[in-house]
Amino acid sequence: MPERSFEDHGARVRARLGDAAFWAAIWVVSGLALVYLLLPTCIIVGASFTTSDFVVFPPVGLSLRWFAKLWELEAVRVAAARSLGIAAAATAVAVVLGVAAAFPLVRGRFRGREALNALLMSPLVLPSLVYGLAALIFVSALGFSLSITVLVLSHVAIIVPYVVRTTAASLALLDPHLEEAARSLGANIWRTFVHVVLPNLLPGIATGGAFAFISSFDNLTVSLFLAGPRVETLPIRLFSMIEFDLDPSVAAISTVLVLITLAVVLLAHRAVGLTRIVRL
Amino acid sequence: MSGITRRQVLIGGVAGAAAVSAGVAWAQQKELVANTYGGGWEQGHKQAIAEPLEKKTGAKVILIPMLANELVARIKAAGGAKPPVDVALVDDGPFLTAIKENVFLRLPMDRIPNAAKLYPQYRPKEPYGVPIGASVIGIAYNAKKLKSAPTSWQDLWKPEYKGKVGLCTPASTLGTVALLSFAKAQGGGESKIEPGFDAVKSLLPSVGSIASSPAALQTLLERGEVDIAPMWHSNTLLLKGKGTGMEFVLPKEGGIAGLAWFAITKAGNLDLALAYINQGLSVQSQTLLATPPFFFGPTVQGIKVEPQLRGVVPAAPEDLARLVKVDWSQINPQRPEWINRWNREIKV
Amino acid sequence: MDQPLEPGDQGLSRGLASRLRLWQLALPATLFLAVYFFAPLLMLFWWSVRAPEGGALTLANFASLLTDPFFFQTLWLSLRLSFEVTAITLALGFPLAYLYTNLGSAARLAILFITLLPLLTSAVVRSFGWIVLLGKQGLINQGLMAAGLTDAPIRLLFTVAGVRLALAQVQLPFMLLPLINALEQLDPSLEPAAVSLGASRFQAVLRVTVPLAMPGVVAGAILNFALTMSAFITPAMVGGGSFIVMPTLVYQSAIVTLQWSKAATTALILLMVALTVVWTGTAVAKRWHYGAREGAADA
C-alpha cells in the first residue's frame, strides 16, 4: 500500500492514532453486532438444558430431561411430522417449477426476460402477512375450504423464488458448450439434461431446495392465516405453547430447530459455498 | 431412454396420492379435536379425558389451545364447513352466546350416561352442553415477594404493588369479570361499565403487564413479571404447587363463580365427541381433575375433595352459591365493544 | 454436428422434449404464481374497495380507517418503529459489512455463518429468546443489577423499547446481506487511492466508500423497512397482547373479528405506505448516486 507522506513526525503519529481509533471503533461495533446476532439463539439453546421447571438463562443445572420429554408430547410430534410433510411436498413442487423456470431466465433471449425475472422473484418482496391474508380471502371466496393442500400450495408460492435464484445462478456458470458437445455426440435433449446439465446444477438446486425447505418448515405468518385450527404446524404449536403453556420443553424444541438450521447452513456451504450464496 | 418411463411415473404418482388420501381419510375418522385453555387445562384434560379415551377407543385426540370467546366466533365463521373443533370447551358467557346463535348440537343426553350424576343445580336448562368443571375468580399474589396480602379489589391500588400488578384483557372471561368487578366496586355494573374503565385507567401506573389469556398471565406470574393479579383459583394453585409462593384469596367483595362447559359442534365427529364428554363426567376423570395440580371443582356428585382445599376449590354447588354472580346475558351483547374499547384505550 | 445451441432448438430427436420451446419451461411456474400469488393479491384489492355487505365499489373502507385516530396511532407506531429499527440495523450492519470486506476468507466464513444461522432460524425461536432475555429475570436485568445500575428489575418486556431491540436483531441479517453485496461490488482500489492521496482511513470511507455504496445500501435499507413494517411475529410475542402495530390489526380483523374487508383495507394501506417509502428512498438514492459520482470525479 502506498505510504502517505507527512510533513512532520507529529502528523504521522496523529494519523496512525486516527486510523487505530477508526479500526477500534469498527471492531467494537462489529463485535457488538455479532454478539447481538447470536445472543437470543444461544440463550434459548442454553435454557433448554435447565433442570428447573421454568425457562431461565443461565440454566439451573444441566440435564437432558426436557429433550427426553419431547418424545411424550404427542401434539408436538404430530405438528413436527406435519411440518416436515408440508415442507417436503412444497419443496418438491417448488423444485420442479423453479428448475424449469430457471432455463428461460438464463438461456432465453426473448423480450420479456426481465419481466419474467421480476415476476418470479416477487414473492420475496411482498410481505408474507399480506400474502397470507390475500390467499385466505382468495381460497375462501372461491368456495374451497382450508386444507393441507391449500397450505402446501401457499408455501410453494413463497419458496419458489429461492429455487429459481440458486438454480439460475448455477446454470449461468455452466458452459453451454458442454451441452453442445453432448448433443453433437448424439444425445437427445433429455439425456443431455439428465447426464450433463443436472449433475452440474445439483449443488445450486440443493442449496435452493434447502433454503426453500427451511423457509416452509419455519413459516408462521402465512400458516397462521391458512392452516386453520385443525392443521397445526410446528411453528404454530410453538407459538401457542409460548403463550399458553410455557416450560423448558419449548426451549428444547427450539434447540432441535436450531440444530436443523445449522445442518442446512452446513449443507449449503458444502454444496455451493457460503460466500457464493451471499452474492445471490 | 433410461429406466422409468413417463407413464410409470404418472401411475406411481396417482397410486401414491390415492394411498395418501385414503390414509388421511382413515385417520380423520378416528380423530377428535377439542380445545382447552392451555396450561393446567390442557394437561388436565389430556391426562383425565383424552388419554383414557384414546386407550379405550384407539382414536386420536388432539387438544388445541383456544379461548372460548374466540372459539365460538370461529365455529360460527366456519358455517357449514368443518368446524375447528368437535368438542368445545366454553365458559358461561360464550356458552350463552353460542346457544342463542344456535352454534351447538342439541345433546342426546341419553347417550351421555354419566350426566345423570351431575349436581341438579348444575344441570343445564337446555341440553346444549354439560358443565365439566367449576372455578372461582379471586386474587393471586406472591406471598414470598409481597409483604401484605390483599383483601379487596381496591388493594390492587396499594403503593406496595406498584409496577407489579397484572391484568387480563376482556378477550378472556377472566379479564371481562375483572373489569366488571372493578366497575361494581365503584358503583357500576353490567349496564354501567364506565367506572370499570376509569378504574383500570387509574390502575395503569401500578400495572406491570397485560396478558391476553389467563395462561399467559399465569406465565407472567411465574416469571415474576407481575406478582399480583385477578386470577382463576386453578391457575393460582397450580403455581403454588410449583413452589413459587403464590397464594389465592377471595376479595371481600366476593369471588366470582364460573362453570366450564363441554358442547358438541354441529358438523363434528358425534360418536367420539359423546364418548369424550362421557369420559369427562366419569368419576375417575372428575376425581383426577379435582386433585393437585389441577384443582377444578367437580360438577358430578360424589367426588371427594381434600378437606384443606375445600376453602378454595368449589367442591359443591353450595360453594359456588356463596359467590358473586355475573349476568352474562347483559354482558354478551356489550362484550365486543368492551374488547374494542380496551384495545384502544388501555395501554401500559 | 457442429451447431451452436439455440433456444427452441429442435435437436436430433423426436418426442415432446424436443418440441418444447425454451420459454415454455417457465410456464408452469408463471401460471402457478399467476393463479396462486397474483390472483389472491387482486382479490385482496377487490375486497378493500367493495362494501362489506357485498356489491358496489366504494372507498368507504379506506375512509373509515383513515379517519380513525386509533388507526393513525397504530400506523404512526409502525412507521416510527420501522425507521428506528432500520437505522439501528444500518448503524450496526455497515461497520460489520465493512469489516467483512477487509478480512480474510476464514473470518468471512465465520461472519457469514453467524449471519445465516439467525436468518434461517424461525422468527418464533428468536423472539422467544428475546422474551427470556428481556424478562425481569432475564440476562439484561441480571446484568444491570449486577452492575449496580438499578436496584429492582426494570420492565423491558412488552414495551416499545423491547420490541425495538428484538426487531432490530431479527432484521439485522436481512440488512447485512445487501450491505455486504454492495460493498463487495466496489472497486477495491479506490479506498487505498484516497488514502495515498492523504486522507485518513475514516475520511476515505466517509468520502469515497460510503457514497459509492449508497445505492446498494439504500436498496437494502428500504427493503428492510418494508419487511419490518409488516413483521407480525416479533411484536406479537415480545410486545405482548396489548402491543398493536399494523400487522396486528390485519391479523385481528382477519382471524379474530373476521372482518375481511377491514383486514384487506388495512393490509393495502400498509403496502401502500411501504411502497411510498420505497419509491421515495429510491428517488433519494438516485440523486445521491449522481451527486456522489460527480464528487468522486473531483477527488
Side-chain angles (χ1 to χ4, degrees), chain A residues 1-5 15 19 22-23 25-27 29-34 36-41 43-44 47 54-58 93 97-98 100-101 103-104 107-110 116 119-120 122-131 133-142 149-151 153-154 156-158 160 176 179-180 183-190 211 214-215 218-221 224-226 235 238-239 242 246-247 250-251 254 257-258 261-262 264-266 269 274-275 277-280, chain C residues 1-5 7 9-13 17-18 22-26 28-30 32-41 43-44 47 88 91-93 95-100 102-103 108-126 128-133 137-139 142 164-169 172-173 176-177 180-181 184 192 195-202 205 223 226-227 230 232-233 236-237 246-247 250-251 254-255 260 263-264 267 270-271:
Chain A
M1 183 139 65
E3 265 297 315
R4 286 176 273 184
S5 50
D19 273 359
F22 171 73
W23 280 110
I26 292 281
W27 274 97
V29 176
S30 299
L32 223 79
L34 288 171
Y36 193 41
L37 279 172
L38 283 180
L39 196 56
T41 315
I43 293 212
I44 291 304
F54 58 94
V55 183
V56 68
F57 187 87
V93 176
L97 294 179
F103 280 88
R107 296 279 169 79
R109 298 280 175 273
F110 50 91
L116 179 65
L119 187 147
L120 290 172
S122 46
L124 284 182
V125 262
L126 186 81
S128 49
L129 177 86
V130 177
Y131 174 61
L133 175 65
L136 173 66
I137 296 181
F138 181 69
V139 165
S140 310
L142 286 186
T149 318
V150 167
L151 186 61
L153 291 178
S154 71
V156 172
I158 56 179
V160 109
E179 293 163 68
E180 207 184 299
R183 297 279 292 289
S184 72
L185 290 171
N188 62 22
I189 286 196
W190 179 250
F211 275 44
I214 275 276
S215 298
D218 280 346
N219 185 284
L220 181 65
T221 313
L224 273 180
F225 282 94
L226 287 175
L238 265 183
F239 190 56
I242 292 174
L246 182 57
D247 67 26
V250 184
S254 305
L257 286 181
V258 170
T261 309
L262 205 66
V264 168
V265 175
L266 284 172
H269 181 54
L274 287 185
T275 42
I277 292 175
V278 166
R279 279 190 221 121
L280 292 172
Chain C
M1 279 192 216
D2 213 45
Q3 288 168 349
L5 198 66
D9 196 17
Q10 298 298 309
L12 299 164
S13 64
S18 68
L22 192 62
W23 60 268
Q24 289 170 337
L25 283 176
T30 315
F32 177 78
L33 284 179
V35 168
Y36 219 74
F37 185 77
F38 291 105
L41 289 179
M43 180 73 77
L44 188 73
W47 268 77
I88 296 177
L92 285 177
L96 182 55
Y98 181 73
L99 185 64
Y100 176 91
N102 280 284
L103 287 178
R108 288 189 181 204
L109 215 55
I111 293 180
L112 277 181
F113 220 81
I114 299 179
T115 306
L116 278 178
L117 193 60
L119 192 135
L120 292 175
T121 309
S122 179
V124 182
V125 172
R126 291 197 279 161
F128 180 34
W130 280 102
I131 291 179
V132 180
L133 196 51
Q137 297 173 343
L139 213 54
Q142 284 178 32
R164 195 183 296 133
L165 262 180
L167 210 42
Q169 189 263 350
L172 185 55
L176 262 177
L177 292 183
I180 289 179
N181 263 325
E184 287 251 272
V195 168
S196 74
L197 290 172
S200 74
R201 191 50 98 102
F202 178 59
V205 170
L223 185 61
L227 286 177
S230 42
F232 169 72
I233 303 171
M237 288 177 67
M246 290 290 277
V250 174
Y251 179 77
I255 302 289
W260 283 359
L270 176 63
L271 252 189

Side-chain angles (χ1 to χ4, degrees), chain B residues 2-236:
Chain B
S2 57
I4 312 169
T5 67
R6 202 169 299 131
R7 179 186 295 171
Q8 285 173 332
V9 169
L10 205 59
I11 293 180
V14 169
V20 166
S21 33
V24 167
W26 176 86
Q28 280 178 340
Q29 271 172 359
K30 309 202 80 202
E31 184 185 272
L32 183 81
V33 180
N35 72 301
T36 67
Y37 303 143
W41 287 93
E42 175 151 338
Q43 291 166 32
H45 281 207
K46 182 158 167 251
Q47 257 187 277
I49 314 178
E51 279 170 7
L53 189 71
E54 284 180 337
K55 281 206 194 75
K56 260 191 225 169
T57 64
K60 188 149 73 165
V61 177
I62 299 187
L63 298 176
I64 56 176
M66 197 180 295
L67 291 181
N69 204 28
E70 184 183 332
L71 179 71
V72 170
R74 294 237 219 170
I75 297 175
K76 257 176 59 191
K82 207 162 171 59
V85 295
D86 300 304
V87 175
L89 176 70
V90 287
D91 290 340
D92 295 310
F95 185 48
L96 212 61
T97 309
I99 295 180
K100 218 169 181 201
E101 312 204 345
N102 205 7
V103 164
F104 292 140
L105 198 66
R106 197 187 174 85
L107 292 176
M109 295 302 274
D110 50 321
R111 292 182 66 182
I112 310 178
N114 286 331
K117 292 192 245 136
L118 279 170
Y119 280 114
Q121 301 91 321
Y122 291 161
R123 288 224 180 96
K125 293 185 210 66
E126 309 258 340
Y128 285 101
V130 288
I132 185 73
S135 304
V136 184
I137 294 179
I139 304 181
Y141 75 101
N142 195 326
K144 279 192 194 162
K145 289 180 163 184
L146 301 175
K147 284 187 298 261
S148 60
T151 54
S152 128
W153 293 118
Q154 308 284 25
D155 284 347
L156 289 174
W157 276 256
K158 272 203 223 167
E160 182 199 346
Y161 303 146
K162 196 162 166 60
K164 304 190 177 157
V165 177
L167 288 177
C168 208
T169 69
S172 66
T173 300
L174 177 64
T176 310
V177 165
L179 178 64
L180 186 61
S181 304
F182 293 152
K184 285 187 179 174
Q186 305 291 333
E190 284 89 341
S191 50
K192 193 168 160 230
I193 199 63
E194 195 61 42
F197 274 101
D198 290 337
V200 171
K201 286 184 199 165
S202 75
L203 186 58
L204 284 179
S206 293
V207 172
S209 290
I210 301 179
S212 45
S213 70
L217 187 53
Q218 177 185 318
T219 305
L220 291 177
L221 283 166
E222 187 179 8
R223 304 184 64 82
E225 297 292 325
V226 296
D227 295 315
I228 177 171
M231 194 42 136
W232 292 104
H233 80 279
S234 49
N235 300 76
T236 315

Side-chain angles (χ1 to χ4, degrees), chain C:
Chain C
M1 279 192 216
D2 213 45
Q3 288 168 349
L5 198 66
E6 303 244 294
D9 196 17
Q10 298 298 309
L12 299 164
S13 64
R14 307 124 248 171
L16 180 63
S18 68
R19 281 199 285 274
L20 222 48
R21 299 255 172 244
L22 192 62
W23 60 268
Q24 289 170 337
L25 283 176
L27 269 183
T30 315
L31 284 176
F32 177 78
L33 284 179
V35 168
Y36 219 74
F37 185 77
F38 291 105
L41 289 179
L42 284 175
M43 180 73 77
L44 188 73
F45 179 69
W46 166 237
W47 268 77
S48 70
V49 291
R50 51 166 267 189
E53 315 80 47
L57 287 181
T58 168
L59 285 178
N61 296 321
F62 287 92
S64 72
L65 282 180
L66 291 171
T67 50
D68 180 358
F70 175 63
F71 182 81
F72 260 103
Q73 255 185 324
T74 311
L75 182 56
W76 176 236
L77 177 63
S78 273
L79 272 170
R80 214 187 77 198
L81 195 59
S82 306
F83 273 118
E84 290 164 350
V85 165
T86 308
I88 296 177
T89 53
L90 259 179
L92 285 177
F94 195 88
L96 182 55
Y98 181 73
L99 185 64
Y100 176 91
T101 58
N102 280 284
L103 287 178
S105 60
R108 288 189 181 204
L109 215 55
I111 293 180
L112 277 181
F113 220 81
I114 299 179
T115 306
L116 278 178
L117 193 60
L119 192 135
L120 292 175
T121 309
S122 179
V124 182
V125 172
R126 291 197 279 161
S127 306
F128 180 34
W130 280 102
I131 291 179
V132 180
L133 196 51
L134 292 171
K136 287 192 179 169
Q137 297 173 343
L139 213 54
I140 296 184
N141 268 315
Q142 284 178 32
L144 288 174
M145 293 209 286
L149 290 167
T150 169
D151 302 317
I154 53 179
R155 203 175 123 247
L156 290 167
L157 196 55
F158 301 167
T159 61
V160 182
V163 175
R164 195 183 296 133
L165 262 180
L167 210 42
Q169 189 263 350
V170 169
Q171 296 294 115
L172 185 55
F174 293 104
M175 179 64 103
L176 262 177
L177 292 183
L179 282 179
I180 289 179
N181 263 325
L183 285 173
E184 287 251 272
Q185 284 171 13
L186 296 184
D187 181 347
S189 63
L190 289 174
E191 214 177 274
V195 168
S196 74
L197 290 172
S200 74
R201 191 50 98 102
F202 178 59
Q203 284 174 325
V205 170
L206 203 59
R207 300 275 183 78
V208 177
T209 311
V210 167
L212 288 175
M214 200 46 83
V217 168
V218 172
I222 56 190
L223 185 61
N224 254 287
F225 179 87
L227 286 177
T228 310
M229 237 186 112
S230 42
F232 169 72
I233 303 171
T234 309
M237 288 177 67
V238 181
S242 304
F243 193 84
I244 301 186
V245 282
M246 290 290 277
T248 326
L249 281 184
V250 174
Y251 179 77
Q252 279 182 354
S253 6
I255 302 289
V256 180
T257 60
L258 298 157
Q259 301 163 288
W260 283 359
S261 280
K262 188 167 173 210
T265 316
T266 313
L268 270 163
I269 295 180
L270 176 63
L271 252 189
M272 291 194 294
V273 170
L275 269 173
T276 311
V277 174
V278 168
W279 282 330
T280 320
T282 316
V284 168
K286 279 211 176 93
R287 280 195 49 201
W288 212 320
H289 185 64
Y290 290 122
R293 278 252 191 89
E294 285 154 21
D298 289 345

